[in-house]
Amino acid sequence: MKYFKSTGTAGPYILRIGAIASIALAGSALDGADYDATSTEWKLDAGLETARFEETIENRRKEGMGVVDFEQYRSGRSTKQAALWVKAMPSDEWDSKRGLTVVEYKEENEKNLKRGFVPVDIEVDRVGASLNFLGVWLKSNEGFSTEMKFGMDDLMFSNFYGEMADRGYRLIDFEAYETNGKIAYAGIWKPKTGENARFYRGLSKDDFGRVSAVMAEDGFRLVDIEGYTVDGKLNFACEWVSLEESQEAQFAYHMMADEFYQKNALMMVEGFRLTDIEAYDIGRGELRCAGSWTSAELRVEAEPSKKNRKRDIFKRPG
């Protein structure tokens, strides 16, 4: 079990991005960028193959939904897709891209920076010998900023996490992926706004359960879950933030797909919304799921800044 609070910085690629924008952000990430747990209309699409998934993305955009997290995973011999969506406010603008090379991903980030979008989710998966990058970006109106870095080894991540903690940032999305036979790490941070945060990685399945129980007792909610394999062993990395007074939270993990769907249906009936989902391989192609649910007050649209009042609502990024 590792908790990092150190100083220093290193690493091959960093994006520092700031944007002026209009809402209190909503979301989560299938691999977890839960930067706001307020209640909002939301939807989950899972278990879809590529062609059906592309059609679903188009339909959700037409419904005014914004994607807050993508997930790609193997189920049997097929590659499946999943996405978590929230209802976009009139001033929200979202963009997402899948199947990017590392060079294409850097170029997409730079393009979005110029357009005033910030990264809120990064996913990396391997198909054969190639790495595929996926990104989600948001443009809003409330001075929301993020810092993103990928391609870090263990020590680089430790140092950079400590630097960001010292600067008052908290992790909103963590990704671990294999490259050149080694594990690399990526993360996205946002400035804290009064909440307390805790992050642990290198947790075993049993450690995850024990630490999660302690965090729940101490008034924290689980906001980001990452299951990944190191030297053939399953590891978890998890981020918790302190609950607000009006919030309740629950989590569950190591569920088969059917168990997850049943749990999610029960949580919906009880007034909770899904704020994070993770699908991970436990070996031999067997899939397990983890999820976190939160209940809270409904969010409302903030007053947009004057310079953005004339922007088309639900404009799809080009």
Side-chain angles (χ1 to χ4, degrees):
M1 189 181 347
K2 302 176 184 178
Y3 174 57
F4 297 104
K5 182 70 174 177
S6 59
T7 59
T9 182
Y13 191 75
I14 306 173
L15 274 182
R16 288 186 169 85
I17 300 176
I20 300 174
S22 76
I23 60 167
L25 296 167
S28 158
L30 273 171
D31 253 20
D34 175 32
Y35 32 86
D36 184 13
T38 48
S39 298
T40 185
E41 182 183 341
W42 65 277
K43 293 182 179 179
L44 170 68
D45 295 306
L48 302 180
E49 294 188 1
T50 300
R52 177 68 186 282
F53 189 62
E54 294 294 342
E55 179 183 345
T56 299
I57 290 174
E58 292 302 312
N59 290 336
R60 292 291 181 239
R61 286 185 180 275
K62 292 175 183 178
E63 295 168 1
M65 306 293 288
V67 63
V68 292
D69 194 27
F70 278 127
E71 177 85 342
Q72 180 167 289
Y73 54 93
R74 296 288 294 179
S75 179
R77 296 183 178 181
S78 301
T79 298
K80 300 293 180 69
Q81 324 286 334
L84 185 61
W85 308 82
V86 295
K87 187 70 174 181
M89 289 294 181
S91 57
D92 288 355
E93 291 188 62
W94 297 87
D95 194 9
S96 61
K97 292 291 188 298
R98 300 189 302 122
L100 304 176
T101 66
V102 62
V103 173
E104 291 170 338
Y105 181 74
K106 290 178 181 179
E107 291 174 348
E108 195 66 32
N109 264 309
E110 291 165 1
K111 182 181 74 174
N112 277 319
L113 170 59
K114 293 177 181 177
R115 299 165 62 213
F117 285 74
V118 300
V120 292
D121 184 35
I122 179 173
E123 304 291 330
V124 188
D125 67 275
R126 177 174 292 282
V127 178
S130 302
L131 287 177
N132 285 335
F133 281 73
L134 178 153
V136 179
W137 295 267
L138 171 66
K139 185 176 184 179
S140 68
N141 278 331
E142 210 171 55
F144 184 75
S145 64
T146 64
E147 294 201 17
M148 185 273 291
K149 185 173 182 178
F150 66 88
M152 294 176 282
D153 63 18
D154 191 89
L155 180 59
M156 290 176 183
F157 180 83
S158 175
N159 287 339
F160 194 68
Y161 182 90
E163 176 190 334
M164 297 306 290
D166 289 341
R167 291 172 54 196
Y169 281 69
R170 74 171 178 89
L171 194 67
I172 62 171
D173 188 37
F174 176 81
E175 177 77 356
Y177 57 97
E178 186 272 327
T179 178
N180 297 323
K182 299 180 180 180
I183 299 298
Y185 303 103
I188 300 174
W189 286 258
K190 69 173 285 289
K192 290 197 292 185
T193 55
E195 70 274 24
N196 293 318
R198 300 288 186 272
F199 175 74
Y200 296 87
R201 64 185 174 103
L203 301 176
S204 69
K205 173 179 172 289
D206 291 339
D207 287 338
F208 179 26
R210 286 192 290 267
V211 174
S212 295
V214 171
M215 291 292 101
E217 290 179 2
D218 289 345
F220 286 79
R221 62 185 179 88
L222 184 60
V223 297
D224 188 30
I225 310 162
E226 172 78 355
Y228 59 103
T229 300
V230 180
D231 297 328
K233 295 182 180 179
L234 178 63
N235 284 255
F236 290 93
C238 304
E239 171 91 352
W240 288 264
V241 298
S242 51
L243 280 164
E244 297 178 5
E245 186 174 347
S246 62
Q247 292 177 337
E248 296 180 49
Q250 292 196 30
F251 79 96
Y253 74 111
H254 223 61
M255 298 173 287
M256 292 186 291
D258 287 348
E259 292 177 301
F260 169 77
Y261 294 135
Q262 292 172 10
K263 177 70 173 180
N264 188 52
L266 176 62
M267 290 292 93
M268 291 173 65
V269 169
E270 295 184 357
F272 288 75
R273 80 172 178 91
L274 183 67
T275 52
D276 191 63
I277 179 177
E278 167 72 352
Y280 53 93
D281 192 332
I282 62 171
R284 302 176 302 280
E286 291 187 46
L287 191 70
R288 292 293 183 270
C289 299
S292 181
W293 293 263
T294 305
S295 66
E297 299 300 319
L298 191 66
R299 72 182 179 130
V300 296
E301 178 79 76
E303 182 71 13
S305 63
K306 291 182 180 180
K307 72 174 184 178
N308 288 314
R309 288 177 190 268
K310 294 182 180 180
R311 191 172 68 202
D312 293 338
I313 65 173
F314 300 127
K315 178 183 177 182
R316 181 177 177 178

